[in-house]
Amino acid sequence: MKELSVAEFGRRIAHLIVSLFILLCVTFVIGRVLPADPVGAIVGELADPAAYAAMRQRLGLDLPLYEQFFIYLKGLVHGDFGTAILTGNPVSADLAQAFPATFELATFAVIISTFVGVPLGLVAALYRDRFIDKIARVVALVGHSIPVFWFGIVGLVVFYAGLNWVGGPGRVDVYYEGIVTPRTGLLLVDSLLQGETDIFWNALSHIILPAFILAYAAVAYITRMTRSFTLEQLSQDYVIAARAKGVSPAQTIIGHVLPNIAVQLITILAISYGGLLEGAVVTEIVFSWPGIGQYMTNALMIGDMNAILAATIIVGFFFMLLNFLADIAYAVFDPRTREAAR
């Protein structure tokens, strides 16, 4: 592992800031040109024209677009995303409640996808064109082909309504709601910290199915990429030499191949994690999961642009942050990327 220079780190930080600013600009402009009417959502369709104009002026929508943007940017600097039409609360307060639910679900899903996808891809490459490889390719094909909402509905019908193996919609059963005081916002963590083991197991039963459903598409992607990376390494001279010396296939994979594809896997896992964060919308709707995806959907229904913009920016920021961290890891562990950047 090599040290990353201050200049290189600074360049990557600058790139992250510029990317975030571009995301902010694009999101804001799209939010303003969409045919949504936040004023009408507040005052109602039958409101008096004077009341409509007064509310439009109060929201600053009568100002030029660039002035609206600078006012919005000034609010963001102070952590002010505006007020949500649906709840009447500051959007930042709503997101503070919704995002931890999505973060917990996506984290659980990426753990599942990593522990399933990486070994499956390694084994599939090691036994290329054999039965396990064909199974892995079928898993990847199905994961990319079948819609998430269909998996979610079938999963609820079979494993919840039919077999009663898992919890139903929501993060926890109704009679457990409100008992655990939010500290981290992660229900599994908070319930353990407060000694509420019954709530922990109940919450775990609720998160298992949506996490597996959400993780399946990521498993397909991780399996396919891991298999591709491994096949490339298996044709290298150092692997052929190791096999000639009598090194077992398992030792070859673990001791030689896996360290050489670790940096690539970090990037793939970071992309998958970001995809899970932004792709949880459908899963949250099917499972009534009170996360940022469901929050965005409800906001879209009434044209609540403050909530939509804030949620988009937050998800985009975390996606960029994950890619930034993967980029840093790539530069630290693979000096070739630093040489190419010079």
Side-chain angles (χ1 to χ4, degrees):
M1 183 178 70
K2 303 292 184 180
E3 293 183 0
L4 186 67
S5 70
V6 176
E8 289 178 80
F9 184 77
R11 281 197 296 271
R12 285 174 168 81
I13 287 288
H15 179 72
L16 174 64
I17 294 173
V18 171
S19 300
L20 183 60
F21 183 74
I22 293 174
L23 171 68
L24 180 61
C25 295
V26 172
T27 305
F28 183 84
V29 171
I30 292 176
R32 288 298 186 266
V33 300
L34 283 177
D37 185 12
V39 179
I42 297 175
V43 301
E45 297 180 357
L46 302 178
D48 182 75
Y52 185 93
M55 180 56 66
R56 180 177 173 81
Q57 184 177 13
R58 179 182 173 186
L59 296 177
L61 296 177
D62 59 326
L63 299 173
L65 188 61
Y66 71 90
E67 288 189 32
Q68 295 182 42
F69 177 72
F70 283 116
I71 292 172
Y72 187 75
L73 191 62
K74 182 179 178 181
L76 287 185
V77 173
H78 295 88
D80 181 14
F81 290 96
T83 303
I85 297 174
L86 183 64
T87 63
N89 300 325
V91 174
S92 56
D94 287 343
L95 291 178
Q97 293 182 343
F99 185 75
T102 298
F103 181 77
E104 185 174 46
L105 178 61
T107 302
F108 207 93
V110 80
I111 292 173
I112 294 172
S113 58
T114 300
F115 280 94
V116 174
V118 173
L120 186 58
L122 292 172
V123 173
L126 187 60
Y127 298 99
R128 183 179 185 180
D129 294 330
R130 298 186 188 179
F131 179 74
I132 187 64
D133 183 28
K134 295 178 182 178
I135 292 295
R137 282 186 280 180
V138 169
V139 168
L141 179 63
V142 172
H144 284 299
S145 304
I146 299 182
V148 173
F149 72 86
W150 185 87
F151 269 125
I153 294 172
V154 171
L156 282 173
V157 171
V158 174
F159 297 105
Y160 169 61
L163 301 174
N164 197 28
W165 286 359
V166 298
R171 296 181 78 185
V172 72
D173 287 341
V174 176
Y175 48 83
Y176 283 133
E177 291 182 356
I179 296 178
V180 174
T181 302
R183 293 179 183 174
T184 64
L186 309 178
L187 188 56
L188 293 173
V189 175
D190 290 340
S191 58
L192 284 179
L193 291 176
Q194 297 172 43
E196 299 286 354
T197 55
D198 289 342
I199 297 179
F200 170 80
W201 290 112
N202 187 264
L204 185 63
S205 72
H206 279 258
I207 199 174
I208 284 177
L209 184 58
F212 267 97
I213 297 297
L214 184 60
Y216 188 33
V219 167
Y221 176 63
I222 293 171
T223 299
R224 182 167 57 85
M225 297 307 296
T226 303
R227 178 181 181 274
S228 177
F229 297 151
T230 305
L231 286 175
E232 181 182 357
Q233 294 298 316
L234 289 177
S235 62
Q236 300 297 317
D237 292 339
Y238 75 92
V239 174
I240 298 174
R243 286 181 173 179
K245 293 178 180 178
V247 179
S248 67
Q251 289 177 328
T252 301
I253 291 291
I254 296 174
H256 298 280
V257 174
L258 193 55
N260 282 304
I261 66 172
V263 179
Q264 294 169 298
L265 287 179
I266 289 174
T267 303
I268 295 304
L269 295 178
I271 294 173
S272 299
Y273 196 8
L276 291 173
L277 283 171
E278 68 177 359
V281 177
V282 177
T283 305
E284 290 184 0
I285 294 173
V286 172
F287 289 91
S288 298
W289 195 264
I292 199 169
Q294 190 175 67
Y295 182 72
M296 287 181 66
T297 303
N298 294 335
L300 280 168
M301 294 298 179
I302 62 172
D304 189 348
M305 297 313 302
N306 283 339
I308 296 169
L309 288 173
T312 304
I313 291 168
I314 292 297
V315 173
F317 168 74
F318 273 90
F319 189 86
M320 290 180 180
L321 180 63
L322 287 168
N323 279 274
F324 167 75
L325 295 176
D327 190 33
I328 292 297
Y330 224 118
V332 169
F333 289 96
D334 190 349
R336 293 173 297 179
T337 58
R338 296 199 301 276
E339 294 174 358
R342 289 172 183 170

